[in-house]
């Protein structure tokens, strides 16, 4: 894309000039240059430092807890590192918590179920989101922004509230039930609450915008003349979609899918509020271990295992992106 | 430079019985209120290289897109090979187009891009491979077969686009500014290749360009467009030597235009008095205009003779002036001569002899000179 020039670049140039003339800035930037740190390193480095710090520190804490034993009291676990006497440090590592995860089928089932629910929800989001994003990307510019705004509108209200609202919509006294009853289509109210279907509805509803937005961003910048070129070479519209549009929108599909899949795997609120007692998802298991069983070490092991489970798709995403960069630059 | 083609010499457009390959009839295209193409009628014959020439935004691409089927005419009809194209989608037309923006598929290699059209027709794999290899060889892209479009230079991309549009050997090939991104050498080479291809494959070309030199080189005929209308259709020499309007005369090549009044109008000559010239034109062709009508005389710079001595003959077709500017361009020189009326006239003269050798007798700045021309040289246009 060619950068749009005009007022904003002028403004930036002015701002830059003003900052350059500013004494302390010059001094600081000269010192930085002496150390071989440029502006780019700085703007990338600071946020990363922040992210790393607040990802790594909790991770280490949790990891440490996962290696310890339960005990009664506060904190409810044994310290891993102990002073045996004033000079010797004793490290007690306890991998039993991880072994326990493999032994008890509850955890394996919870993991597998989480992945299944997340995968199906992602697929449903893709099936609903792709045509939606495609439609928005192909409407006239005047309507496009309104439609996008409507996709993002739910974010204006709290996530929790919206999930609560579904309790009302899926329960026995929901407006749907009343409508169906009054029309005589059903004679018993149907409740979807506490079923897997309710969980799917909740997840798909909540995460759909995360699928639509990256897909839209991708489809919107696609060059329509490519489809004309395909048609010109004898390609029918359906086939042109499959051979041109779909492969070119792969980065959008991957980004959207990961944005839905990753949080959905660890989702706690939706299964807790809408799902039944048997809709076992890892987020819920985690909550129960921490707060009902007060077994922090096992809970931490569950959390670490979940993280590893999510790192794999993230790495795959990175790999896929790196490959896509080669295609599009 | 391209040589005149046998087809061009046959001049099918002069034969009233000849069946045009493409017939465009009173086609208009509106975008909202804006008229991009207005009442265009054209007949293009098999084997022609027809150039659409015109300034930027005059509707060339729009006309081409209607031929390819990407836009539907608001009014009028298009026939290709005797079939009415109304409502026929692009993928069913016997037409291939090379896009102004190339429109190469970014996720495919050069080879896959070129093969795309053949794949759509279900051509056997072995044959595809063979034909793609031959085509890549033709456009000299064989070493780049495995590259993606973004790994190519602008000129290479243009050649991929050309190869992709040629691979299906369409009966009608639409080229939108096919050579814009090429340097002068490669451009002339590719022009030559295009003409060769046209002879070899018998393709009918419609080429859009806003480069008049390219149109002159390539075309069997040129259609000059202005604000969505075709203002003149003819062979390159017709258009150059006999422009039918001030616009065409001015658009193709450079020209000296004089406004004047028709003072004598006979079937085989006219005399025009031009205040700007401070003299009269005697032109050896008739004009269909009422007496005393306002007309314009177009005189090409290379058709004017510049000399120190007063030319022999009568008072017509000559004028005196002072050299105001000289530009030496190597193969020729341009003189700007100011007339007594204040009007400046442009004259080009080939540099037949070396400048240094003739410096003494060369005409220089501020010299008083005579300009003269043949009665057959000026063209009188009435609009
Ligand atoms: N889809 C469209 N909607 C509205 N106006 C359009 C559209 N396509 C083209 N136009 C207008 O129609 C006119 C002709 O456009 P066209 O692309 O045919 O020009 P062109 O002769 O090919 O110019 P160039 O030499 O710059 O390529 C232009 O004024 C353009 O703004
Ligand atoms: Mg154009």
């Amino acid at each position: 894309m060619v950068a749009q020039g005009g007022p904003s670049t002028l403004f930036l140039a002015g701002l830059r000039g003003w900052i350059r003339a500013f004494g302390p800035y010059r001094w600081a930037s000269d010192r930085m240059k002496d150390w071989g740190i440029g502006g780019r390193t700085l703007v990338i480095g600071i946020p990363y430092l922040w992210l790393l710090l607040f990802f790594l520190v909790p991770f280490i804490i949790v990891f440490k807890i996962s290696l310890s034993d339960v005990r009664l009291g506060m904190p409810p676990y044994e310290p891993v590192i102990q002073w045996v006497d004033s000079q010797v440090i004793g490290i007690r590592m306890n991998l039993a918590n991880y072994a326990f995860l493999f032994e008890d089928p509850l955890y394996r089932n919870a993991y597998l179920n989480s992945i299944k629910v997340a995968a199906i929800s992602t697929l449903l989001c893709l099936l609903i989101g792709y045509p939606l994003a495609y439609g928005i990307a192909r409407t006239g510019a005047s309507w496009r922004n309104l439609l996008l705004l409507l996709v993002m509108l739910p974010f204006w209200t709290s996530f929790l509230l919206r999930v609560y609202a579904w309790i009302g919509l899926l329960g026995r006294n929901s407006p749907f039930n009343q409508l169906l009853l009054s029309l005589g289509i059903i004679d018993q109210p149907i409740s979807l609450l506490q079923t897997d279907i309710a969980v799917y509805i909740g997840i798909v509803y909540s995460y759909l915008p995360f699928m639509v937005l990256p897909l839209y961003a991708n489809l919107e910048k696609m060059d329509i003349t490519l489809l004309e070129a395909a048609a010109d070479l004898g390609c029918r519209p359906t086939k042109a979609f499959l051979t041109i549009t779909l492969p070119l929108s792969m980065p959008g599909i991957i980004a959207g899918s990961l944005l839905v899949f990753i949080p959905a795997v660890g989702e706690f609120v939706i299964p807790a509020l809408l799902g039944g007692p048997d809709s076992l998802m890892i987020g819920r298991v985690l909550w129960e271990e921490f707060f009902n069983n007060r077994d922090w070490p096992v809970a931490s092991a569950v959390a670490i295992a979940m993280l590893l489970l999510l790192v794999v798709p993230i790495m795959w995403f990175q790999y896929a992106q790196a490959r896509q960069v080669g295609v599009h630059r | 430079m391209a040589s005149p083609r046998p087809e061009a010499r046959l001049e099918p457009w002069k034969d009233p019985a000849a069946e045009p390959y493409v017939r465009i009839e009173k086609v208009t295209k509106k975008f909202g209120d804006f008229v991009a193409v207005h009442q265009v009628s054209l007949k293009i014959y098999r084997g022609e290289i027809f150039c659409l020439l015109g300034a930027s935004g005059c509707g060339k691409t729009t006309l081409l897109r209607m031929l390819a089927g990407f836009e539907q005419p608001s009014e009028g009809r298009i026939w290709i090979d005797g079939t009415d194209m109304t409502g026929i989608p692009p993928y069913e037309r016997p037409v291939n187009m090379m896009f102004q923006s190339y429109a190469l598929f970014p996720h495919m290699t050069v080879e896959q891009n070129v093969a795309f059209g053949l794949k759509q027709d279900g051509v056997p794999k072995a044959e595809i491979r063979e034909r793609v290899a031959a085509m890549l060889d033709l456009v000299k892209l064989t070493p780049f077969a495995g590259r993606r479009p973004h790994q190519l230079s602008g000129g290479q991309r243009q050649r991929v686009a050309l190869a992709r549009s040629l691979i299906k050997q369409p009966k009608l090939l639409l080229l939108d500014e096919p050579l814009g991104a090429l340097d002068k050498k490669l451009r002339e080479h590719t022009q030559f290749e295009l003409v060769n291809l046209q002879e070899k494959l018998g393709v009918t070309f419609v080429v859009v360009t806003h480069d008049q030199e390219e149109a002159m080189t390539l075309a069997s005929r040129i259609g000059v467009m202005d604000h969505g209308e075709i203002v003149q259709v003819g062979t390159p020499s017709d258009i150059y030597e006999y422009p039918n309007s001030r616009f065409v005369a001015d658009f193709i090549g450079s020209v000296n235009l004089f406004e004047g009044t028709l003072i004598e109008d006979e079937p085989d000559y006219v005399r025009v008095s031009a205040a700007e010239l401070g003299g009269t034109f005697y032109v050896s062709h008739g004009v269909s205009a009422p007496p005393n009508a306002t007309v314009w005389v177009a005189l090409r710079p290379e058709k004017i003779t510049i000399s120190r001595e007063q030319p022999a003959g009568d008072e017509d077709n000559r004028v005196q002036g002072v050299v105001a500017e000289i530009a030496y361009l190597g193969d020729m020189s341009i003189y700007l001569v100011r007339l007594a009326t204040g009007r400046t006239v442009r004259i080009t003269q080939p540099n037949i002899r070396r400048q240094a050798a003739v410096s003494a007798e060369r005409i220089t700045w501020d010299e008083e000179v005579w300009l003269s021309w043949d009665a057959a040289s000026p063209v009188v246009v009435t609009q």
Side-chain angles (χ1 to χ4, degrees):
Chain A
M1 284 277 129
V2 179
Q4 295 292 312
S8 69
T9 32
L10 268 180
F11 170 74
L12 282 179
L15 192 68
R16 203 157 51 202
W18 184 81
I19 292 175
R20 282 229 175 99
F22 187 57
Y25 168 80
R26 289 193 71 134
W27 182 84
S29 88
D30 286 351
R31 290 295 79 69
M32 303 278 276
K33 272 194 201 111
D34 293 345
W35 299 330
I37 303 174
R40 191 199 315 231
T41 325
L42 214 62
V43 292
I44 298 174
I46 290 176
Y48 266 91
L49 218 61
W50 173 270
L51 286 176
L52 202 67
L53 197 67
F54 288 98
F55 173 76
L56 219 54
V57 170
F59 178 81
I60 289 169
I61 294 173
V62 170
F63 185 64
K64 206 186 74 184
I65 298 174
S66 79
L67 294 175
S68 66
D69 285 322
V70 214
R71 73 164 194 207
L72 286 175
M74 223 32 225
Y77 53 88
E78 303 278 353
V80 170
I81 301 170
Q82 274 173 328
W83 295 101
V84 175
D85 52 52
S86 59
Q87 263 108 42
V88 184
I89 300 172
I91 298 178
R92 290 169 2 111
M93 288 232 288
N94 180 1
L95 293 172
N97 297 320
Y98 288 96
F100 184 58
L101 295 188
F102 286 100
E103 282 156 23
D104 193 332
L106 170 90
Y107 300 106
R108 200 178 44 225
N109 288 345
Y111 281 125
L112 290 179
N113 199 44
S114 298
I115 289 178
K116 188 189 93 185
V117 170
I120 293 178
S121 308
T122 306
L123 198 68
L124 290 173
C125 277
L126 188 62
L127 289 180
I128 301 170
Y130 198 104
L132 185 61
Y134 190 91
I136 297 175
R138 296 285 177 274
T139 41
S142 49
W143 280 94
R144 215 180 290 160
N145 287 336
L146 183 73
L147 292 173
L148 265 188
L149 196 74
L150 288 176
V151 169
M152 290 187 277
L153 203 61
F155 288 129
W156 260 261
T157 52
S158 136
F159 170 68
L160 212 53
L161 262 180
R162 281 181 285 136
V163 179
Y164 262 112
W166 276 104
I167 295 181
L169 288 173
L170 296 171
R172 293 178 69 84
N173 295 321
S174 70
F176 297 127
N177 269 325
Q178 270 157 25
L179 183 75
L180 292 177
L181 279 172
S182 68
L183 289 175
I185 296 171
I186 52 173
D187 39 39
Q188 282 290 315
I190 310 166
S191 173
L192 289 176
L193 268 188
Q194 311 217 315
T195 63
D196 279 355
I197 296 178
V199 176
Y200 286 124
I201 291 178
I203 293 181
V204 169
Y205 162 76
S206 305
Y207 290 106
L208 192 59
F210 294 106
M211 180 64 87
V212 172
L213 295 179
L215 273 175
Y216 166 80
N218 175 287
L219 288 167
E220 192 260 344
K221 67 173 200 271
M222 196 187 123
D223 185 1
I224 301 294
T225 52
L226 293 181
L227 293 179
E228 291 180 345
D232 187 64
L233 293 164
C235 190
R236 291 172 168 278
T238 350
K239 196 162 175 219
F241 174 79
L242 293 175
T243 51
I244 310 291
T245 313
L246 205 57
L248 285 177
S249 61
M250 222 47 200
I253 294 178
I254 293 173
S257 298
L258 284 165
L259 282 178
V260 173
F261 182 79
I262 292 171
V265 169
E267 181 55 57
F268 162 69
V269 174
I270 296 170
L273 291 180
L274 303 178
D278 52 335
S279 74
L280 214 53
M281 282 186 71
I282 204 67
R284 231 171 125 184
V285 171
L286 202 60
W287 172 275
E288 274 161 17
E289 289 295 350
F290 262 114
F291 298 103
N292 294 0
N293 296 351
R294 288 186 64 78
D295 189 343
W296 285 27
V298 166
S300 303
V302 171
I304 297 287
M306 186 175 90
L307 193 73
L308 293 179
L309 208 67
L310 293 182
V311 162
V312 177
I314 293 173
M315 305 255 277
W316 173 69
F317 177 57
Q318 292 297 344
Y319 167 75
Q321 277 236 313
R323 248 184 24 172
Q324 286 296 335
V325 166
V327 177
H328 294 289
R329 252 209 322 196
Chain B
M1 288 278 137
S3 56
R5 293 154 296 285
E7 284 88 347
R9 272 188 234 116
L10 286 178
E11 302 187 330
W13 51 89
K14 286 195 175 156
D15 174 8
E19 186 65 29
Y21 189 68
V22 178
R23 192 143 63 91
I24 302 173
E25 229 176 65
K26 295 197 175 121
V27 162
T28 294
K29 179 68 191 177
K30 291 180 187 150
F31 295 109
D33 285 340
F34 180 77
V35 182
V37 170
H38 184 62
Q39 294 283 319
V40 166
S41 295
L42 271 180
K43 286 179 184 155
I44 299 169
Y45 295 85
R46 204 180 294 270
E48 265 201 86
I49 297 188
F50 191 94
C51 274
L52 283 170
L53 184 60
S56 183
C58 69
K60 306 181 295 288
T61 299
T62 308
L63 188 58
L64 219 56
R65 287 172 59 82
M66 286 192 283
L67 286 175
F70 304 128
E71 309 276 6
Q72 291 299 322
S74 313
E75 287 163 35
R77 270 162 198 274
I78 294 172
W79 281 267
I80 296 177
D81 203 8
T83 314
D84 185 353
M85 285 289 132
T86 312
I88 295 189
Y91 48 86
E92 281 172 5
R93 298 193 181 201
V95 175
N96 282 146
M97 173 155 169
M98 178 185 159
F99 289 77
Q100 194 167 8
S101 58
Y102 315 149
L104 299 178
F105 306 128
H107 57 305
M108 296 184 192
T109 61
V110 167
E111 199 170 7
Q112 289 166 329
N113 262 287
V114 176
F116 189 85
L118 293 179
K119 261 194 202 151
Q120 305 314 312
D121 289 358
V123 176
K125 278 216 169 83
E127 191 189 331
I128 293 185
R129 213 169 309 128
E130 217 169 276
R131 280 170 70 177
V132 168
M135 183 53 74
L136 289 180
D137 196 41
L138 183 76
V139 294
K140 305 201 170 49
L141 281 172
T142 309
F144 306 99
R147 291 213 192 163
R148 296 264 168 84
H150 74 263
Q151 296 166 317
L152 300 175
S153 76
Q156 289 164 345
R157 272 178 229 181
Q158 199 159 45
R159 281 181 282 153
V160 179
L162 190 61
R164 192 179 65 176
S165 61
L166 281 170
I167 190 88
K168 291 181 81 172
Q169 305 189 348
K171 291 276 155 38
L172 176 61
L173 191 60
L174 311 172
L175 305 172
D176 200 347
E177 312 250 349
L179 311 175
L182 305 184
D183 60 55
K184 199 166 159 37
K185 272 265 159 61
L186 193 55
R187 203 182 168 103
E188 275 171 12
H189 176 77
T190 316
Q191 283 173 359
F192 197 72
E193 286 290 273
L194 274 181
V195 172
N196 273 348
L197 262 169
Q198 192 270 342
E199 277 174 9
K200 211 156 73 188
L201 305 176
V203 185
T204 307
F205 282 74
V206 179
V207 184
V208 159
T209 176
H210 55 230
D211 178 345
Q212 43 138 328
E213 203 176 310
E214 185 170 296
M216 299 295 249
T217 315
L218 279 178
S220 58
R221 282 188 305 156
I222 295 175
V224 183
M225 285 187 78
D226 180 31
H227 287 98
E229 291 185 57
I230 294 268
V231 289
Q232 189 172 2
V233 178
T235 62
S237 64
D238 280 350
I239 301 262
Y240 188 79
E241 304 289 353
Y242 305 104
N244 65 1
S245 64
R246 275 183 292 160
F247 174 81
V248 175
D250 206 20
F251 191 76
I252 312 283
S254 50
V255 74
N256 298 294
L257 270 173
F258 298 91
E259 192 176 326
T261 316
L262 209 55
I263 48 175
E264 263 179 73
D265 185 6
E266 299 295 326
D268 57 347
Y269 77 91
V270 289
R271 187 171 269 126
V272 176
S273 133
E276 279 180 301
L277 182 74
T280 50
F281 286 98
Y282 177 92
V283 185
S284 61
H285 69 80
V287 175
S288 51
N292 294 322
T294 302
V295 293
W296 290 267
V297 180
L299 188 55
R300 298 280 181 199
E302 75 279 5
K303 298 205 162 60
I304 303 174
T305 315
I306 184 166
S307 65
R308 289 198 181 97
E309 293 82 39
Q310 179 171 2
D314 46 24
E315 290 296 300
D316 294 321
N317 291 349
R318 61 177 175 180
V319 70
Q320 218 174 354
V322 176
V323 177
E325 202 67 68
I326 305 173
Y328 172 70
L329 297 186
D331 54 348
M332 61 174 192
S333 292
I334 300 175
Y335 298 84
L336 294 182
V337 172
R338 185 163 307 115
L339 306 182
T341 59
R343 167 74 195 260
T344 315
V345 179
R346 183 188 173 95
I347 301 115
T348 52
Q349 299 281 287
N351 291 322
I352 296 163
R353 286 187 285 163
R354 279 210 193 162
Q355 287 279 327
V358 292
S359 61
E361 67 217 49
R362 208 175 67 201
I363 290 170
T364 69
W365 279 269
D366 296 331
E367 244 186 277
E368 187 101 351
V369 288
W370 280 94
L371 306 180
S372 58
W373 51 89
D374 199 74
S377 296
V379 177
V380 179
V381 294
T382 54
Q383 47 176 332

